[in-house]
Amino acid sequence: MPTTVSTATGQAESMVLNMGPQHPSTHGVLRVVLELDGENVVKARPDIGYLHTGIEKSCEAKTYSQAITLTDRIDYLAPLSNNLCYCLAVEKLLNLTVPKRAQYVRVLLTELTRIGSHLVWLGTHAIDLGAMSVFLYCFREREEIMKIFEMVSGQRMMTSYFRIGGLALEPPVGWLERVAKFVEAFPSHLAEYEDLLTENRIWQGRTKGVGYLKPEDAIAMGVSGPPLRAAGVAYDVRKFFPYSSYDEFAFDVPTRTESDCYARYLVRMAEMGESLKIVRQAMSKIPAEGPIRTDAPGIIPPQREKMKTEMEALIYHFKIFTEGFSPPPGEVYQNVESPRGELGFFVASDGSPKPMRVKVRAPSFVNLQALPMLVTGRLVADVVACIGTLDIVLGEIDR
Amino acid sequence: MNGLFAQNAYLLISLLKVAVVVLVLLTGIAYLTWFERKVVAHMQSRWGPERVGPYGLMQPLADGVKFLFKEDPTPAGADRFVYFLAPFLSLSLALCTIALIPFGPGEISIFGRSTSLSIAEINISLLIVFAFTSLSVYGVALAGWASNSKYPLLGSLRSSAQMLSYELGLTMSVVGIVLLSGTFSLRTIVLAQQGTVLGVLPRWNVFSPIMPQVIGFLCFFIAALAETNRVPFDLPEAETELVAGFHTEYASFKFAMFFMAEYAAMVTVSAVASVLFFGGWLSPFPENPAFHFTYYLPAALAAVGGVLLIVNGLRYRSKVGRVVVPVLGLILLLLAATCALPGVNPVIQGPFWLLSKIFFFLFVYVWIRGTLPRFRYDQLMAFGWKVLLPVSLANVVVTSLLILLREKR
């Protein structure tokens, strides 16, 4: 246990170190106020708000459809997960059923998002602990995923590809081949990262036994996602509250019981493999033909052909894009399993075309509060490892 | 005039040697940064420096110019004198060590006077090398302390502790060498490594027939990594924890001096490693007429490099490159021709093999950087005291026992 140093005046003294907001490994603009005794952390207090963008509030000034573009920017490493969650919430409010084809495409793309997000996590976590090459390898792989997103939606990061009631566009010809190419190549790359890190003595030394989180504490604090599963709690929204036809897919929820940084690392590595399994299944499930949007006049923009021949369609189109649609008054909460944990959207409607309130349950925000518990009594170098394995995204924390 | 020259010839020749070595070393350091960035880049599937000059060859120069023209602020409350002193101390100490490295056998004659192929000939040169490396911790410790900032303070605390504890392992690991060769003079240590083991292996200290110093070498190399603050022991400047460690508050050319000091230390430590364990300037091929063709190896290498440069350079994508790269190739060819001259050929053998060995170790440095994560502070200390020191001590004990047994027989 750390003891405080007695100075000449007899007073106990510790050094306060501001880690961040400008710091290479706080993954954005997190500020952690560390009280140090030598290199031992006596107290850690995360200070957030440096990236506050007011996304939740901005949503109230947009129509339901317009707000989708804002959700991309919440968790900028997993934009499609945010899109999905928000769309599912509004669809719940409107009581819409999305065609199966769109659902499978959504599953495929969100699982690719998960892999991409985990790759960024692995890369940044590795570079935090000094393994520089892994960082670049991970970004090389992520680039392939980005290219798939660009092919499908025209955007690499802020895709906004999921729309209320389905997808924005018909996926382009040949996109599944591209996904197949990625799926083909990825397992060997994953094995490469495992080679570099999993059995590496230095890596194990840096992560094993570091940042222990008791399962009870994790549950009490609402920690979700890989940190919770690494503590031995097999909670995954995809299994407990299946959405978007996840119940039709066979996949495992990897768990560990050690609940340290190494366990969280292993869980995420295993999750990438599971996501790949889901992507494979989705590829075979997606029908070649079929609607990508549900048919709901007045809510979903009509097809272009109909607009040119039918009066109602033209009117609906005009109304949707000038004033939006008005869901019935009410409140919904929809949760999905984002790469970081349980992502939830609470959407309240007062019957107007704009949401009355949008509240995001951001997994990073909730997981971050476990940080003091993980790092107290440990070394400064462990703080970096712990922040890394919590896998926080500041855009999501501050919203 | 002639009398004046005769009186000061020793001084003049020494100055000339210093000038040549420093020039080569500083250029080498500059291009070592380029080399490191290129090699690491290719290990990480990217290109590395590519824009400044053909193959990014002007990058070191551009970096140097940039450092010179950067603003050089001193943090408020810094101890100005010490803040200034630290980078000078670091760089000069790192450069000093090279003076003791013997580059080749025998004597060469300059202006009709013969002189040895090293700057300083001291019979305890090994001890002086360690004295210099021990002192280099001052640069780091003072820099962190004088900056009046928290991250540098933590960085310099770490590095003082690290360098002091690894100094011990470093020194212990070479005791075996001293026992084997019975001298502290680097030149004599190299000379003691002549010959072969079993007729094939060179009789270098790593392959020594009495007690191969493999363990000693491994300990030395690990300790040297720690001593020069390189991955996986780059804690003092652990970028992702302590921002930039002890030189966080340094900018402009003062920072460049720390940077150069690190690379100079890499070069000198590699040189010391090759001298102590890998026979310094000695060729890995046995000294017999059958292997005399190896004397043309440097020339052949330069020629192949020159031809490659010319062939690739003529197809280089930029106009400047299409001129510069073939010219470089021609220079290399010229160098190859010079190396093949009967008068020059034997002289350059020593420097060639020493430089090749240094180059190899530098590559290993870079390779390790591309592969391994970083140790944690306490693990590093534990490793130094609980593993490295006992192992190198055991090496000393076993070596001395074997030497003793051999003498008794």
Side-chain angles (χ1 to χ4, degrees):
Chain A
M1 274 312 282
T3 48
T4 40
V5 185
S6 291
T7 53
T9 52
Q11 271 180 317
E13 203 173 274
S14 52
M15 185 168 86
V16 175
L17 183 72
N18 276 314
M19 199 167 170
Q22 309 289 336
H23 188 282
S25 48
T26 52
H27 295 212
V29 283
L30 171 68
R31 171 171 168 236
V32 187
V33 184
L34 293 174
E35 213 176 299
L36 296 179
D37 167 27
E39 287 231 4
N40 289 309
V41 178
V42 181
K43 219 168 124 187
R45 188 169 60 84
D47 182 14
I48 58 171
Y50 291 92
L51 201 63
H52 185 71
T53 41
I55 288 174
E56 283 179 2
K57 186 72 187 164
S58 302
C59 286
E60 294 169 20
K62 306 266 180 208
T63 64
Y64 282 93
S65 306
Q66 286 170 335
I68 294 174
T69 52
L70 292 174
T71 63
D72 282 320
R73 287 150 177 84
I74 293 175
D75 175 356
Y76 42 76
L77 292 181
L80 283 163
S81 296
N82 307 331
N83 289 168
L84 178 65
C85 191
Y86 174 75
C87 291
L88 286 174
V90 179
E91 282 156 13
K92 209 186 222 179
L93 199 61
L94 291 163
N95 218 353
L96 292 180
T97 333
V98 180
K100 277 287 177 195
R101 181 155 180 253
Q103 288 193 16
Y104 295 146
V105 173
R106 283 177 171 189
V107 166
L108 191 151
L109 288 175
T110 35
E111 289 309 317
L112 281 181
T113 305
R114 188 183 315 279
I115 295 176
S117 169
H118 279 1
L119 281 173
V120 175
W121 157 78
L122 177 64
T124 49
H125 182 43
I127 203 171
D128 282 351
L129 300 189
M132 192 190 173
S133 296
V134 179
F135 174 74
L136 286 139
Y137 294 153
C138 287
F139 270 75
R140 178 187 64 190
E141 249 41 76
R142 178 174 177 257
E143 197 56 32
E144 290 308 308
I145 297 177
M146 286 297 176
K147 279 178 189 159
I148 294 171
F149 289 165
E150 189 180 7
M151 191 175 181
V152 171
S153 70
Q155 289 276 349
R156 286 159 50 83
M157 283 184 73
M158 303 305 156
T159 48
S160 294
Y161 183 58
F162 301 159
R163 297 291 162 83
I164 292 151
L167 308 172
L169 303 157
E170 178 76 31
V173 179
W175 78 288
L176 273 178
E177 281 77 64
R178 184 123 205 183
V179 178
K181 225 171 90 187
F182 172 78
V183 169
E184 190 74 24
F186 188 65
S188 67
H189 290 299
L190 200 58
E192 197 174 288
Y193 312 143
E194 295 244 14
D195 271 354
L196 276 167
L197 299 176
T198 307
E199 293 300 321
N200 188 321
R201 289 284 295 275
I202 303 177
W203 180 261
Q204 289 190 355
R206 286 300 305 272
T207 51
K208 265 193 180 166
V210 173
Y212 178 72
L213 181 65
K214 270 190 283 185
E216 307 88 76
D217 289 337
I219 293 170
M221 280 186 295
V223 170
S224 58
L228 183 67
R229 291 193 282 274
V233 185
Y235 175 70
D236 189 317
V237 182
R238 292 174 293 178
K239 287 276 187 200
F240 279 68
F241 308 100
Y243 53 89
S244 199
S245 304
Y246 261 109
D247 43 356
E248 295 171 25
F249 293 87
F251 63 98
D252 297 324
V253 179
T255 53
R256 303 285 300 183
T257 47
E258 298 90 343
S259 195
D260 54 7
C261 288
Y262 191 62
R264 293 193 272 276
Y265 159 79
L266 289 176
V267 163
R268 286 202 181 89
M269 293 304 266
E271 272 183 19
M272 281 196 256
E274 293 301 320
S275 293
L276 209 61
K277 255 164 66 181
I278 301 175
V279 170
R280 281 211 187 91
Q281 293 171 38
M283 277 167 65
S284 57
K285 273 189 185 196
I286 295 173
E289 296 281 310
I292 51 155
R293 260 181 253 159
T294 177
D295 193 28
I299 296 171
I300 310 301
Q303 285 170 354
R304 267 233 141 359
E305 287 71 38
K306 278 192 183 168
M307 262 166 61
K308 286 169 184 161
T309 50
E310 290 170 26
M311 187 67 177
E312 285 93 347
L314 190 63
I315 292 170
Y316 281 140
H317 183 267
F318 182 75
K319 287 200 77 166
I320 289 168
F321 285 101
T322 48
E323 61 182 35
F325 54 83
S326 308
E331 302 169 348
V332 286
Y333 176 75
Q334 173 68 44
N335 52 357
V336 301
E337 185 72 24
S338 96
R340 261 151 281 283
E342 180 180 343
L343 172 70
F345 267 81
F346 170 82
V347 182
S349 157
D350 55 359
S352 73
K354 289 171 182 170
M356 188 177 79
R357 177 82 171 98
V358 174
K359 166 83 178 84
V360 183
R361 188 241 185 242
S364 296
F365 176 76
V366 183
N367 291 357
L368 180 66
Q369 55 176 346
L371 184 69
M373 204 170 268
L374 297 182
V375 300
T376 306
R378 304 219 54 108
L379 297 168
V380 179
D382 292 337
V383 177
V384 170
C386 291
I387 294 176
T389 47
L390 282 180
D391 191 17
I392 49 167
V393 164
L394 266 296
E396 190 180 61
I397 289 174
D398 290 339
R399 299 187 301 283
Chain B
M1 192 61 206
N2 220 353
L4 201 66
F5 174 73
Q7 277 165 16
N8 298 312
Y10 176 73
L11 192 67
L12 277 175
I13 290 172
S14 291
L15 275 179
L16 188 70
K17 284 198 286 191
V18 169
V20 169
V21 169
V22 167
L23 203 72
V24 170
L25 183 64
L26 287 183
T27 324
I29 289 168
Y31 277 90
L32 182 56
T33 62
W34 175 84
F35 172 75
E36 175 170 23
R37 289 169 70 176
K38 269 299 204 207
V39 171
V40 166
H42 281 79
M43 283 176 183
Q44 297 169 340
S45 67
R46 39 191 191 99
W47 283 108
E50 194 58 18
R51 295 301 169 97
V52 195
Y55 301 116
L57 275 171
M58 300 302 277
Q59 188 70 45
L61 201 72
D63 285 343
V65 171
K66 187 193 80 175
F67 279 132
L68 270 177
F69 286 100
K70 282 257 174 178
E71 191 190 347
D72 187 8
T74 309
D79 186 325
R80 279 177 172 274
F81 176 67
V82 182
Y83 181 78
F84 241 85
L85 180 70
F88 284 93
L89 212 58
S90 264
L91 183 59
S92 48
L93 285 171
L95 290 177
C96 274
T97 325
I98 204 77
L100 301 152
I101 306 291
F103 288 99
E107 318 253 295
I108 52 163
S109 66
I110 307 173
F111 310 134
R113 291 188 170 250
S114 71
T115 178
S116 64
L117 271 174
S118 64
I119 294 174
E121 281 294 331
I122 307 167
N123 56 357
I124 50 159
S125 40
L126 182 58
L127 289 183
I128 298 186
V129 166
F130 285 118
F132 280 137
T133 41
S134 313
L135 280 174
S136 64
V137 70
Y138 275 105
V140 174
L142 291 179
W145 181 78
S147 297
N148 188 33
S149 177
K150 285 169 186 172
Y151 284 114
L153 183 69
L154 278 177
S156 75
L157 272 178
R158 277 180 174 194
S159 78
S160 311
Q162 171 184 338
M163 288 165 110
L164 287 176
S165 32
Y166 275 81
E167 191 67 41
L168 227 59
L170 193 72
T171 320
M172 289 318 288
S173 61
V174 300
V175 171
I177 305 290
V178 177
L179 288 169
L180 281 174
S181 39
T183 173
F184 280 117
S185 156
L186 291 176
R187 180 169 292 275
T188 327
I189 288 176
V190 175
L191 289 173
Q193 301 180 52
Q194 274 169 335
T196 51
V197 184
L198 308 170
V200 268
L201 279 177
R203 201 189 163 286
W204 297 342
N205 279 329
V206 267
F207 311 121
S208 167
I210 301 168
M211 165 69 188
Q213 291 296 312
V214 179
I215 294 169
F217 168 67
L218 288 178
C219 290
F220 180 86
F221 197 72
I222 293 171
L225 282 173
E227 193 66 20
T228 47
N229 298 330
R230 295 282 303 178
V231 174
F233 305 102
D234 59 338
L235 292 151
E237 44 190 292
E239 192 181 304
T240 44
E241 292 154 29
L242 299 180
V243 189
F246 64 89
H247 57 59
T248 306
E249 300 291 346
Y250 281 87
S252 183
F253 214 68
K254 289 216 244 7
F255 165 73
M257 286 173 90
F258 277 121
F259 200 65
M260 280 152 74
E262 184 185 321
Y263 283 86
M266 274 165 71
V267 173
T268 46
V269 160
S270 306
V272 173
S274 9
V275 164
L276 292 178
F277 295 93
F278 286 87
W281 70 74
L282 297 173
S283 154
F285 301 103
E287 268 301 316
N288 69 43
F291 284 98
H292 265 174
F293 71 90
T294 59
Y295 274 38
Y296 292 96
L297 217 57
L301 272 179
V304 169
V307 169
L308 276 179
L309 275 187
I310 291 173
V311 170
N312 285 322
L314 289 173
R315 292 179 298 170
Y316 197 78
R317 60 170 191 275
S318 75
K319 230 177 225 170
V320 183
R322 282 198 290 274
V323 178
V324 174
V325 179
V327 167
L328 279 179
L330 281 179
I331 294 174
L332 265 185
L333 280 183
L334 212 65
L335 198 72
T338 326
C339 288
L341 287 179
V344 186
N345 199 7
V347 180
I348 53 136
Q349 292 305 313
F352 170 73
W353 285 113
L354 183 64
L355 287 179
S356 316
K357 287 165 191 172
I358 293 176
F359 186 76
F360 172 74
F361 286 121
L362 291 176
F363 176 76
V364 174
Y365 264 109
V366 176
W367 188 8
I368 290 175
R369 188 185 155 196
T371 314
L372 290 182
R374 182 185 303 123
F375 271 105
R376 201 174 61 205
Y377 178 61
D378 57 328
Q379 293 163 347
L380 171 104
M381 297 302 268
F383 183 76
W385 289 99
K386 290 184 187 161
V387 180
L388 204 66
L389 193 61
V391 168
S392 47
L393 273 175
N395 181 47
V396 171
V397 172
V398 173
T399 310
S400 23
L401 267 178
L402 287 173
I403 292 173
L404 213 67
L405 284 174
R406 201 184 171 84
E407 277 174 3
K408 262 194 178 158
R409 239 189 290 144

